[in-house]
Amino acid sequence: MEKQKNLIFGVIVFTLIFCYIPTALQLNFLAGTWATKLTIYPIIIAMVFTLFYRKSFSLSRDERKMLIRYLVVYFFVMIISLVWGLVDYPYYNVILQGPVNQIKKLPSVYSFLINHDISVTKQGLLFVWMLARPIKALFVDIFWGLSLSVLVYVWYKNDFHNGLRFFLKGVIASVIVVVLYGFLDAMYLSGSELATDILIILNPIVHEIKEEGIWWPPILWNGQLRSLFAEPSYYGIFVAFALPWIWYVLDTSRNMRNRLFLWGILFFLILFLFLTRARTANVLLLAEVVLLFLFTISGFLQSRRFFLSVFLCVLLAFGTSLVLFNYGFGKNSNNMTALSYMQDNIGSLTSVDKRSNRSRYSVMIADLKIGMEHPVLGVGPHLRNAYIPHYLPDKEHLSNETKNWIKNQDEKGILRAGFPELGEYTSRFAETGILGLLVFMLPSFYLIWRIIIFLKIHRKDMPQIRAITVYFLISFLGVLATGIGDSLHVLFSYWLLLGLGFTLLHYITIESDEKK
């Protein structure tokens, strides 16, 4: 049983990198917005496995009470927000007057009902679907994420080190695959026809390709490395999750062969991150290096030499990326310098008109405006799309991308097309208000608070446990930071770390009590 459990867990961690699988593999009815993640499949296997061996996996009475209380509060707030949002929803007529095929399955359902002598109009069916869809999405979204967190906790709360071992194996395996695919992508960017032909074959297998007039994600991405992800920024989101764990293994391993291998993997992982030219990736890397520096100089991590090694590795990778931009991918780089690279990536974040900022900031500002007008409960979970066009700032100077989102929604209907969640916290604020956002973030706040207390108390002792805790905290804060400009649903990493974090909390609580 243990072997199968550990294997399933390792596969769950490994499959995080396949975050936008082809439509043919998506379990849309069961998984909703999670259907694009390959991780759904091993999670289903894990659920069946847990039910089969349910006597071996259980929560204590106090743990069940805490989980049930949280779920009751969460669903109470979400349902009140949804009910109020549906009552106050001003766009029913827009939806009902829109195209009937804005729901792909509706024509077939309508034909089935008519063939069985059930009298119903297409508009009536559309109205029922419009009400049922956000209710289903509300339950599905929290079910899959929280299920993964609870599974990790019940599996390893009494066996943390074994869970950590297989977690690290999954992380390292996924990093190796990302780096190997990155080599192929780098060859394509340098002009290799062979690499281009291979990517044209492989990319539609590892992630969905644009369809129905939407440009994203393209089969090939010009000028930026993305490895096997749908877009370059997703590479940065994955690295924010995985990088601190590579640091942890390097910092604690004493096997010289493994260390040399991992230093090589780390170098290429960071090199390819710079080649993404993604602002999300660069800012997250900078933030996590700063966190590593702060934890080192404050004494929570013992080796200052290790931080210096990481810093030199980052500098070497950055220097190598500049060489590649100027001599390998020169036609797209225009004599790239360190200063121009930083201005184009990190510096451009403060400019509304640089790169994709106008599109991103427009949607984020619209979300904030919606939330400010509906501050307590928002407009209702999964109901924000219809509101956004009205709240977009500077409508006369919208980006072409934003105009396409509006056009797509007008043509296909509100229920079929909408606006991406360009910020987990702003979109949740718009949909569920400050109350819903706080309830959603409550487990994270509690976990971080307890970990900080542990680190303050054990600043000078328990070095091995302290190292695990610090690197977990860097990874978790990095993943939370991705929610500023993207959705936490891009990967399953948030929910995976939430479960691992509470498992770690259970472990350090026991260890601290025994030390007393």
Side-chain angles (χ1 to χ4, degrees), residues 397-475:
H397 300 93
L398 294 175
S399 68
N400 290 332
E401 188 175 31
T402 307
K403 291 177 181 177
N404 285 335
W405 289 332
I406 296 172
K407 179 183 177 183
N408 201 40
Q409 183 168 275
D410 290 340
E411 292 177 350
K412 297 179 181 178
I414 293 170
L415 297 183
R416 187 167 184 177
F419 295 80
E421 293 181 355
L422 299 175
E424 181 74 30
Y425 312 119
T426 52
S427 60
R428 281 191 177 271
F429 177 53
E431 291 185 343
T432 63
I434 191 66
L435 192 58
L437 178 60
L438 288 175
V439 171
F440 173 76
M441 294 301 299
L442 184 60
S444 299
F445 291 155
Y446 176 77
L447 179 60
I448 293 170
W449 172 64
R450 288 289 305 274
I451 284 177
I452 291 174
I453 290 177
F454 168 81
L455 290 174
K456 290 176 68 175
I457 294 174
H458 298 282
R459 188 169 183 166
K460 299 298 183 182
D461 57 0
M462 304 175 71
Q464 293 181 336
I465 300 177
R466 195 172 68 243
I468 296 172
T469 307
V470 166
Y471 286 111
F472 166 81
L473 189 57
I474 295 174
S475 178

Coordinates of all heavy atoms in Angstrom, one line a residue, residues 397-475:
H397 N -8.8 54.0 -25.5 CA -7.4 53.5 -25.8 C -7.2 52.1 -25.4 O -6.1 51.8 -24.8 CB -6.4 54.5 -25.1 CG -6.6 55.9 -25.6 ND1 -7.3 56.8 -24.9 CD2 -6.0 56.6 -26.7 CE1 -7.2 58.0 -25.6 NE2 -6.4 57.9 -26.6
L398 N -8.2 51.3 -25.5 CA -8.0 49.8 -25.2 C -7.1 49.2 -26.1 O -6.9 49.5 -27.3 CB -9.4 49.1 -25.2 CG -10.4 49.6 -24.2 CD1 -11.8 48.8 -24.5 CD2 -10.0 49.3 -22.8
S399 N -6.3 48.2 -25.6 CA -5.4 47.4 -26.4 C -6.2 46.5 -27.4 O -7.4 46.2 -27.2 CB -4.5 46.5 -25.6 OG -5.3 45.5 -24.9
N400 N -5.5 46.1 -28.4 CA -6.2 45.2 -29.4 C -6.6 43.9 -28.8 O -7.6 43.3 -29.1 CB -5.2 44.9 -30.6 CG -5.0 46.1 -31.5 OD1 -5.9 47.0 -31.6 ND2 -3.8 46.3 -32.1
E401 N -5.8 43.4 -27.8 CA -6.1 42.2 -27.1 C -7.4 42.4 -26.3 O -8.3 41.5 -26.4 CB -5.0 41.8 -26.2 CG -5.1 40.4 -25.5 CD -3.9 40.0 -24.7 OE1 -3.2 40.9 -24.2 OE2 -3.7 38.8 -24.6
T402 N -7.6 43.5 -25.6 CA -8.8 43.7 -24.8 C -10.0 43.9 -25.8 O -11.1 43.4 -25.5 CB -8.6 45.0 -24.0 OG1 -7.5 44.9 -23.2 CG2 -9.9 45.1 -23.1
K403 N -9.8 44.5 -26.9 CA -10.9 44.7 -27.9 C -11.3 43.3 -28.4 O -12.5 43.1 -28.6 CB -10.4 45.6 -29.0 CG -10.2 47.0 -28.6 CD -9.7 47.9 -29.8 CE -9.5 49.3 -29.4 NZ -8.9 50.1 -30.5
N404 N -10.3 42.4 -28.6 CA -10.7 41.1 -29.1 C -11.5 40.3 -28.0 O -12.4 39.5 -28.4 CB -9.4 40.3 -29.4 CG -8.8 40.8 -30.8 OD1 -9.5 41.3 -31.6 ND2 -7.5 40.6 -30.9
W405 N -11.1 40.5 -26.8 CA -11.9 39.8 -25.7 C -13.4 40.3 -25.7 O -14.3 39.5 -25.6 CB -11.3 40.1 -24.3 CG -10.0 39.4 -24.1 CD1 -9.6 38.3 -24.7 CD2 -8.9 39.9 -23.2 NE1 -8.3 37.9 -24.2 CE2 -7.9 38.9 -23.3 CE3 -8.7 41.0 -22.4 CZ2 -6.7 39.0 -22.6 CZ3 -7.5 41.1 -21.7 CH2 -6.5 40.1 -21.8
I406 N -13.5 41.6 -25.9 CA -14.9 42.2 -25.9 C -15.6 41.7 -27.1 O -16.8 41.3 -27.0 CB -14.8 43.7 -25.9 CG1 -14.2 44.3 -24.6 CG2 -16.2 44.3 -26.1 CD1 -13.9 45.8 -24.6
K407 N -15.0 41.7 -28.3 CA -15.6 41.2 -29.5 C -16.0 39.8 -29.4 O -17.1 39.4 -29.8 CB -14.6 41.5 -30.7 CG -15.2 41.0 -32.0 CD -14.1 41.2 -33.1 CE -14.6 40.6 -34.5 NZ -13.6 40.7 -35.5
N408 N -15.1 39.0 -28.9 CA -15.3 37.5 -28.7 C -16.5 37.3 -27.8 O -17.4 36.4 -28.1 CB -14.0 36.9 -28.1 CG -14.0 35.4 -28.4 OD1 -14.3 35.0 -29.5 ND2 -13.6 34.7 -27.4
Q409 N -16.6 38.1 -26.7 CA -17.8 37.9 -25.8 C -19.1 38.3 -26.5 O -20.1 37.7 -26.3 CB -17.6 38.7 -24.6 CG -18.7 38.5 -23.5 CD -18.3 39.1 -22.2 OE1 -17.6 38.4 -21.4 NE2 -18.7 40.3 -21.9
D410 N -19.0 39.4 -27.3 CA -20.2 39.9 -28.0 C -20.7 38.9 -29.0 O -21.9 38.6 -29.2 CB -19.9 41.2 -28.7 CG -19.8 42.4 -27.7 OD1 -20.2 42.2 -26.5 OD2 -19.2 43.4 -28.1
E411 N -19.7 38.3 -29.7 CA -20.1 37.3 -30.8 C -20.5 36.0 -30.3 O -21.5 35.4 -30.8 CB -18.9 37.2 -31.8 CG -18.6 38.4 -32.6 CD -17.4 38.3 -33.5 OE1 -16.7 37.2 -33.3 OE2 -17.1 39.2 -34.3
K412 N -19.8 35.5 -29.3 CA -20.1 34.1 -28.8 C -21.0 34.0 -27.6 O -21.5 32.9 -27.3 CB -18.8 33.4 -28.5 CG -17.8 33.3 -29.7 CD -16.5 32.6 -29.3 CE -15.6 32.5 -30.5 NZ -14.3 31.9 -30.2
G413 N -21.2 35.1 -26.9 CA -22.1 35.1 -25.8 C -21.3 35.1 -24.5 O -20.2 34.6 -24.4
I414 N -21.9 35.7 -23.4 CA -21.3 35.8 -22.1 C -20.9 34.5 -21.5 O -19.9 34.3 -20.8 CB -22.2 36.6 -21.2 CG1 -22.3 38.1 -21.7 CG2 -21.7 36.6 -19.7 CD1 -23.3 38.9 -20.9
L415 N -21.8 33.5 -21.8 CA -21.6 32.2 -21.1 C -20.5 31.4 -21.8 O -20.0 30.4 -21.2 CB -22.9 31.4 -21.1 CG -24.0 32.0 -20.3 CD1 -25.2 31.0 -20.4 CD2 -23.6 32.2 -18.9
R416 N -20.1 31.8 -23.0 CA -19.0 31.0 -23.7 C -17.7 31.7 -23.8 O -16.6 31.1 -23.9 CB -19.5 30.7 -25.1 CG -18.6 29.8 -25.9 CD -19.2 29.3 -27.2 NE -18.4 28.3 -27.9 CZ -18.7 27.7 -29.0 NH1 -19.9 27.9 -29.5 NH2 -17.9 26.8 -29.5
A417 N -17.7 33.0 -23.7 CA -16.4 33.8 -23.8 C -16.4 34.8 -22.7 O -17.4 35.4 -22.3 CB -16.3 34.4 -25.2
G418 N -15.2 35.2 -22.3 CA -15.1 36.2 -21.2 C -13.7 36.7 -21.2 O -13.0 36.7 -22.1
F419 N -13.3 37.2 -20.0 CA -12.1 37.8 -19.7 C -11.2 36.9 -18.8 O -11.7 36.3 -17.8 CB -12.2 39.2 -19.1 CG -12.9 40.1 -20.0 CD1 -14.3 40.1 -20.2 CD2 -12.2 41.1 -20.7 CE1 -15.0 41.0 -21.0 CE2 -12.8 42.0 -21.6 CZ -14.2 41.9 -21.7
P420 N -9.9 36.8 -19.1 CA -9.1 36.0 -18.2 C -9.0 36.6 -16.8 O -9.1 37.8 -16.6 CB -7.7 36.0 -18.9 CG -7.7 37.2 -19.7 CD -9.2 37.4 -20.2
E421 N -8.7 35.7 -15.8 CA -8.5 36.2 -14.5 C -7.0 36.6 -14.4 O -6.1 35.9 -14.0 CB -8.8 35.1 -13.5 CG -10.2 34.7 -13.4 CD -10.5 33.6 -12.4 OE1 -9.5 33.1 -11.8 OE2 -11.7 33.2 -12.2
L422 N -6.8 37.9 -14.6 CA -5.4 38.5 -14.6 C -5.1 39.0 -13.2 O -4.9 40.2 -13.0 CB -5.3 39.6 -15.7 CG -5.5 39.0 -17.1 CD1 -5.5 40.2 -18.1 CD2 -4.5 38.0 -17.5
G423 N -5.2 38.1 -12.2 CA -5.0 38.5 -10.8 C -6.0 37.7 -10.0 O -7.2 38.0 -10.1
E424 N -5.6 36.8 -9.2 CA -6.5 36.0 -8.4 C -7.2 36.8 -7.4 O -8.5 36.7 -7.2 CB -5.7 34.9 -7.6 CG -6.5 34.0 -6.7 CD -7.3 33.0 -7.5 OE1 -6.8 32.6 -8.6 OE2 -8.4 32.5 -7.0
Y425 N -6.5 37.8 -6.8 CA -7.1 38.5 -5.7 C -8.0 39.6 -6.2 O -9.1 39.8 -5.6 CB -6.0 39.1 -4.8 CG -4.9 38.1 -4.5 CD1 -3.6 38.2 -4.9 CD2 -5.3 36.9 -3.8 CE1 -2.7 37.2 -4.6 CE2 -4.4 35.9 -3.5 CZ -3.0 36.1 -3.9 OH -2.1 35.1 -3.7
T426 N -7.7 40.2 -7.3 CA -8.6 41.3 -7.8 C -9.9 40.6 -8.4 O -11.0 41.2 -8.2 CB -7.9 42.1 -8.9 OG1 -7.4 41.2 -9.9 CG2 -6.8 42.9 -8.3
S427 N -9.8 39.5 -9.1 CA -10.9 38.8 -9.6 C -11.8 38.3 -8.5 O -13.1 38.3 -8.6 CB -10.6 37.7 -10.6 OG -9.8 36.7 -10.0
R428 N -11.2 37.7 -7.5 CA -12.0 37.2 -6.3 C -12.7 38.4 -5.6 O -13.8 38.3 -5.1 CB -11.2 36.4 -5.4 CG -10.9 35.0 -5.8 CD -10.3 34.1 -4.8 NE -10.1 32.8 -5.3 CZ -11.0 31.8 -5.2 NH1 -12.2 32.1 -4.6 NH2 -10.8 30.6 -5.7
F429 N -12.0 39.5 -5.5 CA -12.6 40.7 -4.9 C -13.8 41.1 -5.6 O -14.8 41.5 -5.1 CB -11.5 41.8 -4.8 CG -12.1 43.1 -4.2 CD1 -12.7 43.1 -3.0 CD2 -11.9 44.3 -4.9 CE1 -13.2 44.3 -2.5 CE2 -12.3 45.5 -4.4 CZ -13.0 45.5 -3.2
A430 N -13.7 41.1 -7.0 CA -14.8 41.5 -7.8 C -16.0 40.5 -7.7 O -17.2 40.9 -7.6 CB -14.4 41.6 -9.3
E431 N -15.7 39.2 -7.6 CA -16.8 38.2 -7.6 C -17.3 38.0 -6.2 O -18.6 37.7 -6.1 CB -16.2 36.9 -8.2 CG -15.9 37.0 -9.6 CD -15.5 35.6 -10.2 OE1 -15.1 34.7 -9.4 OE2 -15.6 35.5 -11.4
T432 N -16.5 38.0 -5.2 CA -17.0 37.6 -3.8 C -16.8 38.7 -2.8 O -17.1 38.4 -1.6 CB -16.3 36.3 -3.4 OG1 -14.9 36.5 -3.3 CG2 -16.5 35.2 -4.4
G433 N -16.3 39.8 -3.2 CA -16.1 40.9 -2.2 C -14.9 40.6 -1.2 O -14.3 39.6 -1.3
I434 N -14.7 41.5 -0.3 CA -13.7 41.4 0.7 C -13.9 40.2 1.6 O -13.0 39.5 2.0 CB -13.5 42.7 1.5 CG1 -12.2 42.7 2.3 CG2 -14.7 43.0 2.3 CD1 -11.0 42.7 1.5
L435 N -15.2 39.9 1.9 CA -15.5 38.8 2.7 C -15.2 37.5 2.1 O -14.5 36.6 2.8 CB -17.0 38.9 3.0 CG -17.5 37.9 4.2 CD1 -16.8 38.3 5.5 CD2 -19.0 38.1 4.3
G436 N -15.5 37.3 0.9 CA -15.1 36.1 0.2 C -13.6 35.9 0.0 O -13.1 34.8 0.1
L437 N -12.9 37.0 -0.3 CA -11.5 36.9 -0.4 C -10.8 36.6 0.9 O -9.9 35.7 0.9 CB -11.0 38.3 -0.9 CG -9.5 38.4 -1.1 CD1 -8.9 37.4 -2.1 CD2 -9.1 39.9 -1.5
L438 N -11.3 37.1 2.0 CA -10.7 36.8 3.3 C -10.9 35.4 3.7 O -10.0 34.7 4.2 CB -11.2 37.7 4.4 CG -10.7 39.2 4.3 CD1 -11.5 40.0 5.4 CD2 -9.2 39.3 4.5
V439 N -12.1 34.9 3.4 CA -12.4 33.5 3.7 C -11.6 32.5 2.9 O -11.0 31.5 3.4 CB -13.9 33.2 3.5 CG1 -14.2 31.7 3.6 CG2 -14.8 33.9 4.5
F440 N -11.4 32.8 1.6 CA -10.5 32.0 0.7 C -9.1 32.0 1.2 O -8.4 31.0 1.2 CB -10.6 32.6 -0.7 CG -9.6 31.9 -1.6 CD1 -9.9 30.6 -2.1 CD2 -8.4 32.5 -2.0 CE1 -9.0 30.0 -3.0 CE2 -7.5 31.9 -2.9 CZ -7.8 30.6 -3.3
M441 N -8.6 33.2 1.7 CA -7.2 33.3 2.1 C -6.9 32.8 3.5 O -5.8 32.7 4.0 CB -6.7 34.7 2.0 CG -6.7 35.2 0.5 SD -5.6 34.3 -0.5 CE -4.0 34.5 0.3
L442 N -8.0 32.6 4.3 CA -7.8 32.2 5.7 C -6.9 31.1 6.0 O -6.0 31.2 6.8 CB -9.2 31.9 6.3 CG -9.3 31.7 7.8 CD1 -8.7 32.9 8.6 CD2 -10.7 31.3 8.3
P443 N -7.0 29.9 5.3 CA -6.0 28.8 5.5 C -4.6 29.3 5.3 O -3.7 28.9 6.1 CB -6.5 27.7 4.6 CG -7.9 28.0 4.3 CD -8.0 29.5 4.3
S444 N -4.3 30.1 4.3 CA -3.0 30.5 4.0 C -2.4 31.4 5.1 O -1.3 31.3 5.5 CB -2.9 31.2 2.6 OG -3.3 30.4 1.6
F445 N -3.3 32.4 5.5 CA -2.9 33.3 6.5 C -2.5 32.5 7.8 O -1.5 32.8 8.5 CB -4.0 34.3 6.8 CG -4.2 35.3 5.7 CD1 -5.4 35.9 5.5 CD2 -3.2 35.6 4.8 CE1 -5.6 36.9 4.5 CE2 -3.4 36.6 3.8 CZ -4.6 37.2 3.7
Y446 N -3.4 31.6 8.2 CA -3.2 30.8 9.4 C -1.9 30.0 9.3 O -1.1 30.0 10.3 CB -4.4 29.9 9.6 CG -4.2 28.9 10.8 CD1 -4.4 29.4 12.1 CD2 -3.8 27.6 10.6 CE1 -4.2 28.5 13.2 CE2 -3.7 26.7 11.7 CZ -3.9 27.2 13.0 OH -3.7 26.4 14.0
L447 N -1.7 29.4 8.2 CA -0.5 28.6 8.0 C 0.8 29.4 8.1 O 1.8 29.0 8.8 CB -0.5 27.9 6.6 CG 0.7 27.0 6.2 CD1 0.8 25.8 7.3 CD2 0.4 26.4 4.8
I448 N 0.8 30.5 7.4 CA 2.0 31.4 7.4 C 2.3 31.9 8.8 O 3.4 32.0 9.3 CB 1.8 32.6 6.4 CG1 1.8 32.1 5.0 CG2 2.9 33.6 6.6 CD1 1.4 33.1 4.0
W449 N 1.2 32.3 9.5 CA 1.3 32.8 10.9 C 1.9 31.8 11.8 O 2.8 32.1 12.6 CB -0.1 33.3 11.4 CG -0.1 33.6 12.8 CD1 0.5 34.7 13.5 CD2 -0.9 32.9 13.9 NE1 0.2 34.7 14.8 CE2 -0.6 33.6 15.1 CE3 -1.7 31.8 13.9 CZ2 -1.2 33.2 16.3 CZ3 -2.3 31.4 15.1 CH2 -2.0 32.1 16.3
R450 N 1.5 30.5 11.7 CA 2.0 29.5 12.6 C 3.4 29.2 12.3 O 4.3 28.9 13.1 CB 1.1 28.2 12.4 CG -0.3 28.3 13.1 CD -0.2 28.3 14.6 NE 0.6 27.1 15.1 CZ 0.0 25.9 15.3 NH1 -1.3 25.7 15.0 NH2 0.7 24.9 15.7
I451 N 3.8 29.2 11.0 CA 5.2 28.9 10.6 C 6.1 30.0 11.1 O 7.2 29.7 11.5 CB 5.3 28.7 9.0 CG1 4.7 27.4 8.6 CG2 6.7 28.9 8.5 CD1 4.6 27.1 7.2
I452 N 5.7 31.3 11.0 CA 6.5 32.4 11.4 C 6.7 32.3 12.9 O 7.9 32.5 13.5 CB 5.9 33.7 11.1 CG1 6.0 33.9 9.6 CG2 6.6 34.9 11.8 CD1 5.2 35.2 9.1
I453 N 5.7 31.9 13.7 CA 5.9 31.7 15.1 C 6.9 30.6 15.4 O 7.8 30.7 16.3 CB 4.5 31.3 15.8 CG1 3.6 32.5 15.8 CG2 4.7 30.8 17.2 CD1 2.2 32.3 16.3
F454 N 6.8 29.5 14.7 CA 7.8 28.4 14.9 C 9.2 28.9 14.6 O 10.1 28.6 15.4 CB 7.4 27.2 13.9 CG 8.5 26.2 13.9 CD1 8.6 25.2 14.8 CD2 9.4 26.2 12.8 CE1 9.7 24.3 14.8 CE2 10.4 25.3 12.7 CZ 10.5 24.3 13.7
L455 N 9.4 29.6 13.5 CA 10.7 30.1 13.2 C 11.3 31.1 14.2 O 12.5 31.0 14.5 CB 10.7 30.7 11.8 CG 10.5 29.8 10.6 CD1 10.4 30.6 9.3 CD2 11.6 28.8 10.5
K456 N 10.4 31.9 14.8 CA 10.9 32.8 15.8 C 11.3 32.1 17.1 O 12.3 32.5 17.7 CB 9.8 33.8 16.1 CG 9.5 34.8 14.9 CD 8.4 35.7 15.2 CE 8.7 36.7 16.4 NZ 7.5 37.7 16.6
I457 N 10.5 31.1 17.4 CA 10.8 30.3 18.6 C 12.1 29.5 18.5 O 12.9 29.4 19.4 CB 9.6 29.4 19.0 CG1 8.4 30.3 19.4 CG2 10.0 28.5 20.2 CD1 7.2 29.5 19.7
H458 N 12.3 28.9 17.3 CA 13.4 27.9 17.1 C 14.4 28.5 16.2 O 15.0 27.8 15.3 CB 12.8 26.6 16.5 CG 11.9 26.0 17.5 ND1 12.3 25.2 18.6 CD2 10.5 25.9 17.5 CE1 11.2 24.8 19.2 NE2 10.1 25.2 18.6
R459 N 14.7 29.7 16.3 CA 15.7 30.4 15.5 C 17.1 29.8 15.6 O 17.9 29.9 14.7 CB 15.7 31.9 15.8 CG 16.6 32.7 14.9 CD 16.3 34.2 15.1 NE 17.0 35.1 14.2 CZ 16.8 36.3 14.0 NH1 15.8 36.9 14.7 NH2 17.5 37.1 13.2
K460 N 17.4 29.3 16.8 CA 18.8 28.8 17.1 C 18.9 27.3 17.2 O 20.0 26.8 17.4 CB 19.3 29.5 18.4 CG 19.4 31.0 18.3 CD 20.3 31.5 17.3 CE 20.4 33.0 17.3 NZ 21.3 33.5 16.3
D461 N 17.8 26.6 17.1 CA 17.9 25.2 17.2 C 17.1 24.5 16.1 O 16.5 25.1 15.3 CB 17.4 24.7 18.6 CG 15.9 25.2 18.9 OD1 15.3 25.8 18.0 OD2 15.4 24.9 20.0
M462 N 17.0 23.2 16.2 CA 16.3 22.4 15.2 C 16.7 22.8 13.7 O 15.8 23.1 12.9 CB 14.8 22.4 15.4 CG 14.4 22.0 16.8 SD 12.6 22.2 17.1 CE 11.9 20.9 16.1
P463 N 18.0 22.8 13.4 CA 18.4 23.4 12.1 C 17.8 22.6 10.8 O 17.4 23.3 9.8 CB 19.9 23.3 12.1 CG 20.2 22.2 13.1 CD 19.1 22.3 14.1
Q464 N 17.7 21.3 10.9 CA 17.1 20.6 9.8 C 15.7 20.9 9.5 O 15.3 21.1 8.4 CB 17.3 19.1 10.0 CG 18.8 18.7 10.0 CD 19.0 17.2 10.2 OE1 18.1 16.5 10.7 NE2 20.1 16.6 9.7
I465 N 14.9 20.9 10.6 CA 13.5 21.2 10.4 C 13.3 22.7 10.0 O 12.4 23.0 9.2 CB 12.7 20.9 11.7 CG1 12.8 19.4 12.1 CG2 11.2 21.3 11.6 CD1 12.2 19.0 13.4
R466 N 14.1 23.5 10.6 CA 14.1 24.9 10.3 C 14.3 25.2 8.8 O 13.7 26.0 8.1 CB 15.1 25.7 11.1 CG 14.8 27.2 11.1 CD 15.7 27.9 12.1 NE 17.1 27.9 11.7 CZ 18.1 27.3 12.4 NH1 17.8 26.7 13.6 NH2 19.3 27.3 12.0
A467 N 15.3 24.4 8.2 CA 15.6 24.6 6.8 C 14.4 24.2 5.9 O 14.1 24.9 5.0 CB 16.8 23.7 6.4
I468 N 13.8 23.0 6.2 CA 12.6 22.6 5.5 C 11.5 23.7 5.5 O 10.9 24.0 4.5 CB 12.1 21.3 6.1 CG1 13.1 20.2 5.9 CG2 10.7 20.9 5.4 CD1 12.7 18.9 6.6
T469 N 11.3 24.2 6.7 CA 10.3 25.2 6.9 C 10.6 26.5 6.2 O 9.7 27.1 5.5 CB 10.2 25.6 8.4 OG1 10.0 24.4 9.2 CG2 9.0 26.5 8.7
V470 N 11.8 26.9 6.1 CA 12.2 28.2 5.4 C 12.0 28.0 3.9 O 11.4 28.9 3.3 CB 13.6 28.6 5.7 CG1 14.1 29.6 4.7 CG2 13.8 29.1 7.1
Y471 N 12.5 26.9 3.4 CA 12.3 26.7 1.9 C 10.8 26.5 1.5 O 10.4 26.9 0.5 CB 13.2 25.5 1.5 CG 14.7 25.9 1.4 CD1 15.6 25.3 2.3 CD2 15.1 26.8 0.5 CE1 16.9 25.7 2.3 CE2 16.5 27.2 0.5 CZ 17.3 26.6 1.4 OH 18.7 27.0 1.4
F472 N 10.1 25.8 2.4 CA 8.6 25.7 2.2 C 8.0 27.1 2.1 O 7.2 27.4 1.2 CB 7.9 24.9 3.2 CG 6.4 25.1 3.2 CD1 5.7 24.3 2.3 CD2 5.8 26.0 4.0 CE1 4.3 24.5 2.2 CE2 4.4 26.2 3.9 CZ 3.7 25.4 3.0
L473 N 8.4 28.0 3.1 CA 7.8 29.3 3.1 C 8.2 30.1 1.9 O 7.3 30.9 1.4 CB 8.3 30.0 4.4 CG 7.6 31.3 4.8 CD1 6.1 31.2 4.9 CD2 8.2 31.9 6.0
I474 N 9.4 30.0 1.4 CA 9.8 30.8 0.2 C 8.9 30.3 -1.0 O 8.4 31.1 -1.8 CB 11.3 30.6 -0.1 CG1 12.1 31.2 1.0 CG2 11.6 31.2 -1.4 CD1 13.6 30.9 0.8
S475 N 8.8 29.0 -1.1 CA 8.0 28.4 -2.2 C 6.5 28.9 -2.1 O 5.9 29.3 -3.1 CB 8.1 26.9 -2.2 OG 7.3 26.3 -3.2

